[in-house]
Amino acid sequence: MGRASRSADLLSALQLLLLLLRTTTARALGPRISVPLDSEERLIRKFEAENISNYTALLLSQDGKTLYVGAREALFALNSNLSFLPGGEYQELLWSADPDRKQQCSFKGKDPKRDCQNYIKILLPLNSSHLLTCGTAAFSPLCAYINTASFTLARDEAGSVLLEDGKGRCPFDPNFKSTALVVDGELYTGTVSSFQGNDPAISRSQSPRPTKTESSLNWLQDPAFVASAYVPESLGSPIGDDDKIYFFFSETGQEFEFFENTIVSRVARVCKGDEGGERVLQQRWTSFLKAQLLCSRPDDGFPFNVLQDVFTLNPNPQDWRKTLFYGVFTSQWHRGTTEGSAICVFTMNDVQKAFDGLYKKVNRETQQWYTETHPVPTPRPGACITNSARERKINSSLQLPDRVLNFLKDHFLMDGQVRSRLLLLQPQARYQRVAVHRVPGLHSTYDVLFLGTGDGRLHKAVTLDSRVHIIEELQVFPQGQPVQNLLLDSHGGLLYASSHSGVVQVPVANCSLYPTCGDCLLARDPYCAWNGSTCKLLSLYQPDLASSTHM
Ligand SMILES: *[C@@H]1O[C@H](CO)[C@@H](O)[C@H](O)[C@H]1NC(C)=O
């Protein structure tokens, strides 16, 4: 059986090779409206502070009035209405790596100007009074707490800034991708955690329950983390399931031994209640499982295998089963100048099917992978603690039997791949970031996608008849600047994008771009409607109306 599945893999590998030899046909997908950088047409407002670069982290306060921004050696608190106006005021918090660290960093051969700085990578709400922030701090990462009332770094009684080691939470190298989120006051991260940029881990770093992936077992292979999501699966669960944290990344596909350095995209997950094992897998996840994400061109199967970003859309907070994962992919095998990308959407149901299905097993001696066909121990390895486990007097991962945990050591990859629906092939842009807004339009519900490109553009796209149409293009940053981050303020009707030179704020729609009734309808912009004389923003999304509900 194992052999059969291996020859199936070989077959698909050959198909892949054939595909790569075929030339690809590009499909032109032009937006209806394209607005260049210097245009007055669109209300693009830009924030840039003097002598500050590399704006990456974006966070909106709960009331939507303050936008927190993390850049190089500095953080900002911006008023979403005022700070983006010319000469607008803002709060600044300078946090630079100390001279000692900078010196050590350059001693170790790093570029003092480029590498030996503090690049803010993590900026998250911790509780009602504090934010958590982490920066690369000259290749020796640190974390600190920000008092939101005063917008200053928290200090201890003696008056010195409260700093924590950021290793395992924040990468050393500012160019490395990582992801982080806070759930119930605990920080979950996916990052590489060493000076050399190896030793990757998915961890919950803060005491009292530090838990991570086991590095000696190679659960991760040179991953590039792009996103993470919290899904409250305990809500109304008939089996007494636990909440889960999902991680999205691309990595080397060990199971594809026929091609060296084949990149695959993955979803991995852990249970919120996981406390590690008692003897086996101590302080290690007992619930770590990963599966392959597939996004390919339907007509010939050309693979878009490198994940760039994932947006988790949970349209109904009462029903996590409706959760959708919108993924932006590029391909490892794009040749020449064609730098295309693809957008695929994954359903929660399909993700769950993979995690509930068969396991792959690695033979540690030969490093070959097989489909596991032998019986699986109970409770099911990698599952969260559920009612059926509790009936066996297993109330915590600490009580899981050794044979279950030992099984998991070599069975952390699922056999089934998660298939997706391809929504858009984009031969002319390299998408880096995606944010999605579910909009109840006049006649039905639309998912509006905001996409950030590698060359400073924003695309707005709408799902219509299960396809995605790009309806608008905006050049928001100069050509050489990739869109590093996107943040959607759906209540305020605003979108924020950040890059090397600054942060821009744009309204989700500018219906006045469409002067006639025909234009307004043809625009297919679900935010806009013709009211008899002008193309108007549907009142539901008027920023002023929405923000007045905050008061
Ligand atoms: C920081 O910004 C500069 C341009 O100002 C860019 O060349 C560099 O790649 C950026 N670094 C990171 C880590 O984003």
Side-chain angles (χ1 to χ4, degrees), residues 386-435:
T386 59
N387 291 339
S388 75
R390 287 181 200 106
E391 275 158 26
R392 295 162 186 265
K393 302 247 176 335
I394 299 169
N395 293 305
S396 132
S397 62
L398 293 164
Q399 294 159 342
L400 284 168
D402 288 356
R403 66 193 148 74
V404 169
L405 300 180
N406 283 325
F407 180 91
L408 199 72
K409 286 180 172 181
D410 298 328
H411 298 82
F412 49 89
L413 175 61
M414 305 317 297
D415 191 55
Q417 301 156 324
V418 190
R419 294 185 181 277
S420 62
R421 196 153 57 80
L422 183 125
L423 295 177
L424 179 75
L425 278 175
Q426 174 54 272
Q428 279 141 22
R430 190 181 169 84
Y431 292 136
Q432 311 259 83
R433 288 296 204 162
V434 58

Side-chain angles (χ1 to χ4, degrees), residues 53-54 56 72 119 121 174-175 484 500:
S53 65
N54 303 89
T56 44
R72 195 177 90 162
Y119 291 83
K121 286 285 189 177
N175 294 305
Q484 296 271 24
H500 302 332

Side-chain angles (χ1 to χ4, degrees), residues 98-99 106 116 119 127 196 198 216 223 250 265 270 281 303 306 311 320 374 379 438 442-443 469 480 514 523 543:
D98 67 51
S106 54
C116 304
Y119 291 83
N127 51 39
Q196 290 80 16
N198 45 21
S216 72
S250 55
S265 291
V270 296
L281 294 181
V306 187
F311 186 90
W320 56 266
H374 294 114
R438 178 155 291 190
L442 282 181
H443 306 294
H469 303 264
Y514 314 114

Side-chain angles (χ1 to χ4, degrees), residues 479-511:
Q479 286 253 329
Q481 297 197 14
V483 174
Q484 296 271 24
N485 208 346
L486 281 183
L487 177 70
L488 185 67
D489 172 9
S490 45
H491 291 289
L494 295 166
L495 180 75
Y496 296 95
S498 68
S499 188
H500 302 332
S501 66
V503 182
V504 296
Q505 180 196 58
V506 289
V508 290
N510 184 2
C511 305

Side-chain angles (χ1 to χ4, degrees), residues 63-65 80-81 491-492 542-551:
D63 66 6
K65 288 180 186 162
S80 53
N81 291 323
H491 291 289
Q542 264 169 28
D544 292 335
L545 216 98
S547 62
S548 66
T549 60
H550 290 308
M551 299 199 298

